[in-house]
Amino acid sequence: MFEIMDKKLLAPNIKWIRVRAPIVARNAHAGQFVILRLHEKGERIPLTLFKWNEEEGYIELVFQEVGKTTYELGSYEPGDKIMDVVGPLGNPTPIQNYGTAVIVSGGVGAPIGYAVTRALKEAGNRVVSIIGFRSKEYVILEDEFKKISDELLITTDDGSYIRKGFTTDVLREYLENGGKADYVFTVGPVIMMKLISQITKEYGIKTDASLNPLMVDGTGMCGACRVTVGGEIKFACADGPDFDAHQVDFDELMSRLVEYRPEEKIALDKYMKGGC
Amino acid sequence: MPKPLKKQRVPMPEQDPKERIHNFNEVALGYTWELALEEASRCLQCPVNHAPCIKGCPVDVNIPGFIKKIREKDIKGALEIIHETNALPCITGRVCPQEQQCEMHCVMGKVGDKINIGKLERFVADEAKKMGIYPEVYIAPNNGKKVAIIGSGPAGLTAAADLVKMGYDVTVFEALHDYGGVLIYGIPEFRLPKEIARYEVEYLKSLGVKFIKNVVVGKTLTIYDILNDYDAVFLGTGAGTPNFPNLPGVNLKGIYSANEFLTRINLMKAFKFPEYDTPIKRGKKLAVIGGGNVAMDAARSALRIGYEEVYIIYRRTKEYMTARKEEIKHAEEEGVKFMFLVSPVEFVGNEEGNVKAVVLIMNELGEPDESGRRRPKPVPGTEFGLEVDAVVFAIGQRPNKVLYQEVPELKVTKWGTLIVDEKYRTTMKGVFAGGDAVRGEATVVLAMGDGKRGARAIDEYLKGEPWPEKIEPKNF
């Protein structure tokens, strides 16, 4: 059992938790994820690591309440226990000194972007963080990014904070204005990653995208998370989750992500009716 | 006057096919005492030294010995004889392909039906379980040496059982959230109730084996971490990575690996969605590609979650199917439709990206391949479509590379299986391996045999047998 040590509401339906999981913390790297199962009847869901601390034996996760399991996790309070947490899973993001690295994160991709930004910064890169949110109230982790970014560009879809526009607009302006980018890492909604990768392809910038397909076991066993990369089938859990963004079939990923929408709705409705 | 031979075997009572396709309860109901005694009475009691059945058993169970004990109504005695060489009789009695092993060699076959050894083994194990009887086993005093077993499937559980009895401090690491490996995520409830794998694990715990779940070796801990803490390691990590063919449309929604389909149903209990959180698609028509036991498991599971028409699509003819005859028969009784000499060439989706049809091509059989089976050759121009809502691939699995992809010392074959020698030694000192991780996809009992012999080899190594300079690869 894995105890929730602390919890915060970062934005509407976006929560941060710290979970005691020493065995996960000791081997964790940026870009990796855990699979958790709340209880005996729970499903296994992947959540990417935000922070971890080996000495104190904890990991930190940020998640958005969208389905039954994330709502239920959101209802857990410090002291409550998650039945199963396994990880770190997936391959760490390949970290090296590229020169200038631009990290483009959208929405709840931001915590993953944060972990990667920090690792790239520690590897000696000049790091430029571009983060996009729906609106002012959804802005998260601004202070954290500020501390580790050489340049921080925040945007909101509706212009309610800092500026109006998508991360794609910000990246394009940055590059058009002669901003340097030797490497781009992108994480967030699939459509955003697809458009970001189109821009960086035009500019010929090496780009990795952190993919978020459906998973069951998360260890290479089932193939639910399969994606097409460069015409080949890859398992995001075992071969990824990061892939060369210019080779990823994002349309297929988008289609596969919504496979269980109807069932997700049934489960959520049932949970909400059951009272939370 | 010698008693006349009873030529016909006593059949195992089974759930009616019409009923059982609506539930996940076990199909074979088990012998009663009366039936077991009658079947046991048919055994000719060949002397142990020559009994052909024992030679056919990968774990050398003294079969005439335990059958004699059944006749004497001595369940504890029968159980103890089985446990001398087989720690998991509840499991082997259900899922061993006895017809290709012990029963194949049974002398009774010359005059009538062979003895139903598997069902008798199951009877002993189940009866003992029901009566709360455990075998009295000798556990050697702790010798101070630690062995780590990676994977809690049949190979790992068997190795753990033998090593703990030899006095080792044994810890089993499991990647998933429950123990049993393929016994719990792969083999369906109606063939092997999960409660049985759980019972066997509890028994091993009672012998002193430690179990740790949610540890993916290669990620959570590396092999190097483990070797720091343990004197030897046994890798029983199975063949868990599914193959997908590179065909157009293979990633459409509704197309599963058998592993995903069965894991959702067995391990995650998607058949109880939404009581359980993991969903599975329930449509009308489903096609399973493949002809092995896993294909039968997937097809029969599909019926049970409500698919009305379930097809087995197999590229060769019926006699080449690798599934057990019993499983094929069960699938037929339950209404699974078989299509032989056909292969998929393409999957067609609807506008939402869900699979709606599979395009199949007819095959003819050509020259035998390296397995001795005649190779299927597609006949051009014979393509036809089959409408489906879901497809399950059961075309084999390979070992999961997550474990050793960053361990250059561990060498693998071109099929991705770990290279080991006849003593199950890998190319890394102190690391042994067995089961599907070295064989590719095989059977539960062969994995158990490897676990047994691997445990013996670990014992010899830890008692001072030198590690060879060079590992001579064993062919499986």
Side-chain angles (χ1 to χ4, degrees):
Chain A
M1 297 288 263
F2 298 80
E3 190 194 346
I4 297 184
M5 301 162 68
D6 201 356
K7 174 187 174 181
K8 262 185 248 165
L9 181 70
L10 302 185
N13 295 108
I14 298 177
K15 288 176 176 167
W16 166 92
I17 51 172
R18 178 178 287 174
V19 182
R20 194 179 306 286
I23 197 167
V24 180
R26 66 179 285 282
N27 237 340
H29 297 279
Q32 291 187 297
F33 61 92
V34 294
I35 292 259
L36 54 82
R37 189 177 74 129
L38 296 182
H39 47 69
E40 198 54 49
K41 294 181 177 177
E43 61 180 337
R44 294 169 65 97
I45 62 157
L47 286 177
T48 304
L49 292 164
F50 168 48
K51 288 183 186 173
W52 52 91
N53 186 314
E54 188 183 341
E55 287 71 45
E56 296 180 37
Y58 64 75
I59 57 171
E60 293 178 7
L61 305 166
V62 175
F63 61 95
Q64 183 170 23
E65 293 165 332
V66 281
K68 192 246 170 181
T69 300
T70 43
Y71 268 101
E72 194 172 4
L73 178 59
S75 77
Y76 281 30
E77 296 298 335
D80 288 345
K81 290 186 170 105
I82 300 170
M83 185 171 249
D84 298 293
V85 176
V86 58
L89 298 172
N91 299 301
T93 298
I95 299 296
Q96 49 174 286
N97 190 344
Y98 296 97
T100 299
V102 178
I103 299 88
V104 186
S105 319
V108 279
I112 307 165
Y114 171 82
V116 171
T117 306
R118 199 172 68 166
L120 286 166
K121 177 71 186 169
E122 282 166 9
N125 290 278
R126 179 173 177 272
V127 292
V128 179
S129 302
I130 298 176
I131 348 173
F133 301 99
R134 234 188 299 170
S135 63
K136 186 176 178 184
E137 58 174 348
Y138 288 97
V139 174
I140 58 172
L141 309 179
E142 186 179 357
D143 290 342
E144 276 86 351
F145 270 98
K146 227 176 240 163
K147 280 182 210 148
I148 57 167
S149 307
D150 294 290
E151 196 175 341
L152 174 61
L153 303 167
I154 294 181
T155 183
T156 45
D157 298 355
D158 66 354
S160 53
Y161 190 60
I162 308 236
R163 61 159 287 172
K164 182 176 162 63
F166 298 111
T167 53
T168 43
D169 303 323
V170 179
L171 178 66
R172 192 173 278 289
E173 284 165 27
Y174 172 83
L175 293 171
E176 278 171 0
N177 293 330
K180 215 169 155 264
D182 301 304
Y183 172 73
V184 171
F185 178 87
T186 182
V187 57
V190 181
I191 183 70
M192 181 200 95
M193 293 192 284
K194 177 184 170 177
L195 297 172
I196 291 291
S197 90
Q198 284 171 359
I199 298 174
T200 60
K201 198 169 183 182
E202 281 171 40
Y203 282 83
I205 306 165
K206 176 181 161 57
T207 303
D208 286 324
S210 173
L211 306 188
N212 58 340
L214 301 181
M215 290 186 185
V216 183
D217 66 288
T219 65
M221 211 183 86
C222 82
C225 69
R226 64 193 193 272
V227 289
T228 302
V229 181
E232 277 180 48
I233 295 175
K234 298 281 182 192
F235 290 4
C237 67
D239 301 314
D242 301 342
F243 292 100
D244 177 350
H246 299 152
Q247 303 290 324
V248 171
D249 184 340
F250 287 106
D251 294 336
E252 180 184 275
L253 174 60
M254 262 183 270
S255 167
R256 289 182 61 82
L257 266 172
V258 298
E259 176 160 13
Y260 288 97
R261 247 329 125 73
E263 289 80 5
E264 284 160 13
K265 191 174 177 316
I266 292 169
L268 183 60
D269 288 350
K270 178 173 172 274
Y271 176 70
M272 290 302 189
K273 271 192 207 115
C276 43
Chain B
M1 273 275 286
K3 280 189 248 165
L5 290 175
K6 295 174 191 164
K7 291 187 181 168
Q8 275 164 0
R9 62 163 54 180
V10 178
M12 170 77 95
E14 290 178 348
Q15 264 202 81
D16 186 297
K18 283 192 211 75
E19 274 170 35
R20 73 190 190 221
I21 61 166
H22 301 297
N23 67 58
F24 274 85
N25 301 337
E26 201 169 8
V27 168
L29 299 171
Y31 277 152
T32 57
W33 262 107
E34 193 189 352
L35 296 175
L37 285 170
E38 194 186 336
E39 182 64 15
S41 74
R42 298 176 59 237
C43 174
L44 297 176
Q45 289 289 301
C46 302
V48 168
N49 298 343
H50 325 180
C53 52
I54 302 180
K55 293 201 177 68
C57 175
V59 292
D60 312 315
V61 170
N62 174 357
I63 293 161
F66 89 76
I67 293 181
K68 181 160 176 280
K69 292 289 178 190
I70 297 178
R71 291 184 185 183
E72 294 166 2
K73 300 190 182 173
D74 176 3
I75 281 294
K76 184 151 190 268
L79 186 72
E80 283 175 354
I81 287 177
I82 297 173
H83 263 268
E84 284 168 14
T85 62
N86 175 6
L88 309 171
C90 274
I91 294 168
T92 49
R94 287 176 165 81
V95 302
C96 264
Q98 290 97 2
E99 66 281 2
Q100 296 161 27
Q101 296 172 352
C102 52
E103 292 175 14
M104 186 165 92
H105 300 280
C106 176
V107 181
M108 268 302 283
K110 292 185 179 140
V111 290
D113 290 346
K114 295 159 180 177
I115 305 296
N116 211 336
I117 300 169
K119 304 293 190 272
L120 287 173
E121 182 183 50
R122 170 179 162 179
F123 170 75
V124 171
D126 286 2
E127 207 57 30
K129 178 166 171 270
K130 219 186 292 169
M131 296 160 70
I133 295 174
Y134 288 90
E136 269 168 41
V137 292
Y138 172 72
I139 307 238
N142 186 316
N143 60 25
K145 296 241 162 72
K146 291 169 77 182
V147 182
I149 310 279
I150 316 304
S152 66
L157 291 180
T158 307
D162 283 14
L163 287 162
V164 80
K165 289 179 202 165
M166 294 175 197
Y168 292 97
D169 179 348
V170 181
T171 305
V172 178
F173 292 91
E174 168 56 46
L176 291 172
H177 59 252
D178 208 350
Y179 305 108
V182 73
L183 305 171
I184 55 151
Y185 75 75
I187 302 175
E189 189 78 17
F190 54 83
R191 237 166 28 93
L192 179 70
K194 302 301 144 245
E195 163 244 334
I196 285 171
R198 221 155 274 151
Y199 169 78
E200 303 283 18
V201 167
E202 287 308 313
Y203 171 64
L204 294 188
K205 283 184 187 167
S206 76
L207 299 184
V209 177
K210 287 172 239 171
F211 284 85
I212 304 179
K213 61 181 185 165
N214 291 321
V215 174
V216 179
V217 173
K219 295 290 176 193
T220 314
L221 294 173
T222 64
I223 286 198
Y224 306 106
D225 292 331
I226 302 224
L227 280 172
N228 276 338
D229 286 345
Y230 293 85
D231 300 290
V233 179
F234 179 83
L235 304 175
T237 44
T241 297
N243 294 326
F244 288 96
N246 217 343
L247 295 175
V250 72
N251 291 345
L252 286 165
K253 286 175 283 188
I255 302 184
Y256 298 92
S257 70
N259 259 3
E260 181 185 350
F261 191 72
L262 292 171
T263 296
R264 281 180 184 273
I265 295 173
N266 297 328
L267 181 68
M268 306 309 300
K269 304 220 172 0
F271 65 91
K272 293 186 182 169
F273 176 87
E275 182 197 343
Y276 282 72
D277 292 341
T278 304
I280 191 150
K281 289 283 169 192
R282 293 162 186 249
K284 288 200 163 57
K285 286 182 169 188
L286 178 142
V288 179
I289 318 287
N293 288 319
V294 176
M296 300 307 130
D297 286 346
R300 297 172 64 200
S301 298
L303 288 172
R304 284 163 173 76
I305 61 170
Y307 282 90
E308 290 160 14
E309 273 179 58
V310 175
Y311 294 89
I312 290 278
I313 309 286
Y314 183 57
R315 59 193 177 140
R316 293 185 169 99
T317 50
K318 186 171 179 180
E319 61 271 23
Y320 286 114
M321 286 174 92
T322 55
R324 294 183 64 191
K325 293 235 157 46
E326 181 177 310
E327 302 309 326
I328 297 171
K329 182 180 137 259
H330 281 150
E332 284 171 341
E333 286 169 0
E334 291 170 10
V336 172
K337 298 182 170 75
F338 288 74
M339 295 174 83
F340 298 108
L341 288 169
V342 283
S343 297
V345 288
E346 186 183 345
F347 301 92
V348 184
N350 63 17
E351 53 287 348
E352 279 129 40
N354 296 312
V355 66
K356 65 170 187 182
V358 47
V359 179
L360 300 164
I361 190 164
M362 303 289 294
N363 295 323
E364 54 187 24
L365 291 181
E367 295 303 306
D369 63 12
E370 56 273 23
S371 73
R373 298 182 298 172
R374 291 179 64 192
R375 197 189 297 272
K377 280 196 317 192
V379 181
T382 59
E383 291 89 346
F384 66 100
L386 177 70
E387 278 183 32
V388 289
D389 310 306
V391 175
V392 177
F393 277 105
I395 55 168
Q397 279 137 231
R398 59 207 141 83
N400 193 331
K401 65 180 182 186
V402 163
L403 170 77
Y404 47 78
Q405 62 188 357
E406 282 165 37
V407 187
E409 295 93 325
L410 278 178
K411 303 278 185 256
V412 296
T413 65
K414 62 177 171 176
W415 300 282
T417 52
L418 286 161
I419 290 175
V420 291
D421 68 3
E422 51 167 20
K423 290 198 156 181
Y424 297 89
R425 294 178 287 216
T426 67
T427 50
M428 187 173 189
K429 191 179 174 198
V431 180
F432 297 74
D436 282 2
V438 305
R439 291 176 180 272
E441 224 182 339
T443 62
V444 167
V445 72
L446 287 172
M448 289 175 54
D450 290 350
K452 258 195 127 39
R453 286 182 291 273
R456 214 174 295 150
I458 288 172
D459 182 47
E460 287 167 10
Y461 165 67
L462 292 178
K463 285 187 174 143
E465 189 183 59
W467 197 265
E469 293 270 304
K470 190 171 180 296
I471 294 296
E472 295 296 336
K474 174 180 160 86
N475 285 321
F476 287 96

